[in-house]
Amino acid sequence: MTTSPSQSPMPTVRPAPVTVLGLGPMGRALAAAFLAAGHPLTVWNRTPGRAGDLADRGATVAASVEEALRAGHVIVTCLLDHDVVRAVLPAAGWSGRTLVDLTSAEPDQARALADWAADHNIRHLDGAILTPTPAIGTSAAAVLYSGDPQAYEAVREAMAALGGTGTYLGADPGRAAAYEVALLDLFATSVHGAAHAFALTSAEGIAPGDLAPFAVRISGLLAEMIPRWAEQLRTGRFPGERSTVASAAATLARLVEAAAGHGLDVGALTAAKRAADRVVADGDGEQGLARLVPAMAAASAVTGKVHRLATPGHSARGATAGVPAPPTRG
């Protein structure tokens, strides 16, 4: 893992020409950051008229993706999804250019794009943006990269224009996407939990403002818990002196009953309870909550393999490289 500093190194030559394909909110933010850093910039979007003031600020708006490709040395894609990337990118015209795909994708999709790029002699790097559009170009930006190390070195100086920290995670092209989906999983389930909690208190006649001061304390608990869990997962030991899976299972049962009593969707709570119940059934109910992780990983091992094999366009090249086995039962 390599982390670049927030400040771009002083360029010794003229900044590399950059092309940005995709001008949604994030694409426009990326383009603005490259312009601010002095890079000659060409932009293109499938739907014309999305460039905003980029042309007035010095960007060239290409009429076609082929024109945009010819103009840049670093080709940055930030499109709707993986399918659009594959539909948009030409197979020819890449000599002397590097593709940096910042489109959100599943890990296997990132690997499939890397395979396609290799088949067409295209130097490719995958990336995942971890911060919202206002952070791009500032010290708060964070971007992960994975894939061909030579591609990373070729674009490292140019991508520093995005600000903050750029972290290279290794040669597996799906690694950045794997981090992204895991972090989005954490965010999405946390957002769902907050919404569900407010809905439950609303059903009980509690004002949102009355709950909020207590709810914000949960974020502090998570901030302490996450690194502690990481260490427990590293060692495979899950002490239960703070809380146990058995206690969590009992709590989840009460939560399901309370929420269902108000007609709320209990799908997420039921899934959490199933995971805890599996650990209890295995005889590990008195272990700490991090014990849920290897239980979930073990349950997904077979179904995950079936899913990967059944996914259209999946490539097995490097699909499991560097992926650690789940911790053994502690």
Side-chain angles (χ1 to χ4, degrees):
M1 182 182 296
T2 303
T3 300
S4 300
S6 60
Q7 297 297 320
S8 304
M10 291 298 294
T12 56
V13 295
R14 185 171 180 260
V18 174
T19 288
V20 173
L21 305 179
L23 294 176
M26 183 58 76
R28 290 195 299 271
L30 297 173
F34 286 122
L35 280 175
H39 290 272
L41 180 71
T42 300
V43 297
W44 175 85
N45 194 67
R46 289 185 301 163
T47 304
R50 297 287 179 86
D53 66 347
L54 292 172
D56 294 338
R57 297 166 63 182
T60 298
V61 181
S64 68
V65 69
E66 291 79 10
E67 178 188 340
L69 179 59
R70 288 193 297 270
H73 292 175
V74 179
I75 313 300
V76 177
T77 50
C78 188
L79 296 161
L80 178 64
D81 56 30
H82 170 78
D83 291 338
V84 174
V85 174
R86 292 292 296 268
V88 160
L89 292 181
W94 288 90
S95 178
R97 294 167 176 83
T98 301
L99 168 63
V100 183
D101 184 27
L102 298 181
T103 304
S104 291
E106 297 175 22
D108 283 346
Q109 291 175 329
R111 296 180 184 113
L113 183 62
D115 289 347
W116 174 85
D119 289 342
H120 294 86
N121 296 314
I122 299 169
R123 191 162 56 185
H124 163 267
L125 187 70
D126 189 68
I129 301 169
L130 302 184
T131 42
T133 54
I136 300 301
T138 75
S139 61
V143 185
L144 305 179
Y145 301 99
S146 63
D148 181 358
Q150 293 182 344
Y152 175 67
E153 290 302 326
V155 302
R156 185 174 181 176
E157 185 172 293
M159 300 309 293
L162 303 185
T165 55
T167 302
Y168 177 68
L169 300 173
D172 174 9
R175 185 55 60 92
Y179 274 66
E180 181 183 32
V181 296
L183 293 169
L184 287 174
D185 184 350
L186 174 60
F187 181 71
T189 51
S190 298
V191 169
H192 175 272
H196 203 268
F198 276 116
L200 182 56
T201 53
S202 175
E204 289 287 347
I206 299 172
D210 292 340
L211 177 70
F214 300 96
V216 295
R217 299 179 186 178
I218 300 297
S219 62
L221 297 178
L222 290 174
E224 182 279 330
M225 183 190 76
I226 288 172
R228 176 163 49 83
W229 276 29
E231 177 61 17
Q232 291 178 5
L233 290 164
R234 185 188 68 81
T235 62
R237 298 176 62 84
F238 312 106
E241 70 270 7
R242 294 189 179 210
S243 56
T244 67
V245 177
S247 176
T251 298
L252 285 163
R254 293 194 298 274
L255 292 177
V256 169
E257 185 174 351
H262 288 294
L264 297 176
D265 188 320
V266 294
L269 290 172
T270 301
K273 183 178 181 300
R274 280 199 303 268
D277 287 343
R278 283 197 299 270
V279 175
V280 174
D282 285 343
D284 290 335
E286 295 308 307
Q287 294 199 20
L289 298 181
R291 183 66 180 83
L292 292 165
V293 179
M296 289 179 178
S300 71
V302 175
T303 56
K305 181 179 180 181
V306 171
H307 168 74
R308 287 194 298 273
L309 293 176
T311 301
H314 165 68
S315 168
R317 279 187 266 177
T320 59
V323 179
T328 56
R329 195 170 144 180

